[in-house]
Amino acid sequence: MTTVAFGGGPSLDQRRAFAALRDGTHVPGYRGYCPQIKYRVGKTYGTDTHILAGEVQHRHPASVLAAPTQAPPKQLPDATGDNKYTKNMVPGYTGYIPRIPFKFGNTYKEDCDHCIDEYLTNRKVYDHKQSDLRQQINGHPRLTAISHDPEVKERLNMYRDTHPTKSILVEDKRGLTEPPIPGYRGYIPRIKATEMGLGSRYNQTTKKGLELFVQETAANAARSTGKLPQSLSMVSHQTLKSAPPSFNRRLYVNDGMIPKYTGYIPHRRFVFGNTYGDTTRSLNVCSHPSQSYGDFVRSKTTL
């Protein structure tokens, strides 16, 4: 294919003369901006642009061609099969070319040559700065870590020995019942499965849940082994005696269930016309006096 950019084919003036275009007329199909063209109706595109060229002062395309062009690029690399940007970029290439979206008014080859030349020049400058910085760093002596200084180690050991309670270097183990910081997303036992998570702040809710969990764990461990584990020594023996067995804790309390409770309640689906609280209080699972519903059912069968 021969084009004007490669030195072949007719010139621009020859093409305009062949198409018999009048002064100021744009070639039909021109997609650029033409002032006031959208307000013209009833004439051909060539006639409208010819009339507008005499009425509206605008820059003629010939003056654009006469404008000074950019400096020719340096020698670009040849295509080797591995390099991406070469001096013979094929029009229609859809890959990324640095800064070509900001180039206008030239052919594809000219814009590619200038963009590739600018990219390679900037890359060489950046590589030179990097190598210069690396040489400067290698020329300076390396810094010695302060942790290798025996005087520092001695002072830290002395401070830790003289400040055993205030030193931040001494590891402090959190208590089993110490509530976590608000915003903690981990699992806290007993605050969702029981009423401990209702009507309290996060700090109080988590504290109650952890204390209840510790009490139940200590009580079960004391019943099974007869000894209290050392990690649960903060639980008093009175608490262990008063704490009911975890397998006998009532799920359905005498006061009724809290509204929006999504668990299963036996026989509730057959009761109508009452509020949720009155309905649950009237059912056998909540109104019985036994320690659990299973004990209540077994007592009825024995009778």
Side-chain angles (χ1 to χ4, degrees):
M1 180 180 70
T2 57
T3 60
V4 178
F6 288 95
S11 64
L12 183 60
D13 293 335
Q14 290 174 345
R15 294 185 181 189
R16 293 181 65 85
F18 178 79
L21 298 179
R22 292 173 287 181
D23 254 354
T25 303
H26 289 301
V27 179
Y30 171 68
R31 302 294 296 274
Y33 174 70
C34 185
Q36 303 294 321
I37 190 63
K38 63 180 180 180
Y39 303 111
R40 298 286 177 165
V41 183
K43 294 184 177 62
T44 62
Y45 182 81
T47 304
D48 282 337
T49 53
H50 170 68
I51 297 173
L52 287 173
E55 296 177 355
V56 182
Q57 293 183 358
H58 64 280
R59 198 174 184 185
H60 196 275
S63 62
V64 177
L65 297 177
T69 58
Q70 301 176 0
K74 302 176 182 178
Q75 186 67 29
L76 300 180
D78 295 326
T80 61
D82 296 330
N83 52 351
K84 191 175 184 180
Y85 303 127
T86 63
K87 63 181 180 181
N88 294 324
M89 299 296 293
V90 179
Y93 171 70
T94 57
Y96 174 71
I97 297 178
R99 299 195 60 80
I100 200 169
F102 308 103
K103 300 292 183 180
F104 304 96
N106 294 322
T107 62
Y108 181 82
K109 182 180 184 307
E110 292 174 351
D111 287 341
C112 284
D113 291 345
H114 286 288
C115 290
I116 294 172
D117 177 56
E118 183 179 357
Y119 166 73
L120 295 177
T121 303
N122 294 337
R123 184 174 176 179
K124 288 180 181 178
V125 172
Y126 176 78
D127 292 341
H128 177 71
K129 290 182 179 179
Q130 287 291 104
S131 60
D132 187 23
L133 178 61
R134 195 176 296 107
Q135 290 177 2
Q136 293 181 10
I137 294 175
N138 294 333
H140 286 76
R142 293 185 177 275
L143 299 177
T144 305
I146 195 173
S147 59
H148 297 292
D149 191 353
E151 184 179 357
V152 175
K153 288 185 177 181
E154 183 180 354
R155 288 182 177 272
L156 290 176
N157 293 333
M158 183 181 301
Y159 182 81
R160 184 172 57 183
D161 295 338
T162 55
H163 302 78
T165 57
K166 299 181 180 180
S167 176
I168 59 174
L169 302 176
V170 178
E171 296 184 0
D172 186 16
K173 190 175 182 180
R174 294 171 62 93
L176 296 177
T177 59
E178 182 180 352
I181 299 175
Y184 173 69
R185 302 294 296 275
Y187 174 71
I188 303 294
R190 299 294 184 269
I191 64 174
K192 291 186 178 180
T194 65
E195 67 279 2
M196 294 296 172
L198 301 177
S200 299
R201 294 181 290 109
Y202 181 81
N203 183 273
Q204 296 298 322
T205 298
T206 53
K207 183 178 180 182
K208 292 178 182 178
L210 292 173
E211 288 179 351
L212 178 60
F213 177 73
V214 169
Q215 290 176 8
E216 292 179 351
T217 305
N220 292 333
R223 290 189 188 93
S224 60
T225 62
K227 297 180 180 179
L228 188 64
Q230 186 177 0
S231 59
L232 304 175
S233 57
M234 75 288 294
V235 183
S236 62
H237 292 281
Q238 185 66 27
T239 304
L240 298 180
K241 294 179 181 179
S242 61
S246 58
F247 53 83
N248 281 337
R249 284 183 56 84
R250 290 190 55 156
L251 177 62
Y252 307 109
V253 295
N254 295 112
D255 297 335
M257 304 304 293
I258 300 174
K260 296 186 179 179
Y261 171 71
T262 56
Y264 173 69
I265 299 178
H267 306 293
R268 178 183 173 273
R269 61 190 303 181
F270 305 109
V271 181
F272 304 93
N274 293 326
T275 62
Y276 187 84
D278 292 339
T279 300
T280 54
R281 278 189 290 271
S282 63
L283 297 176
N284 290 333
V285 292
C286 293
S287 60
H288 68 85
S290 302
Q291 290 185 346
S292 66
Y293 186 64
D295 294 342
F296 174 69
V297 173
R298 284 191 291 270
S299 65
K300 288 180 61 176
T301 56
T302 55
L303 295 176

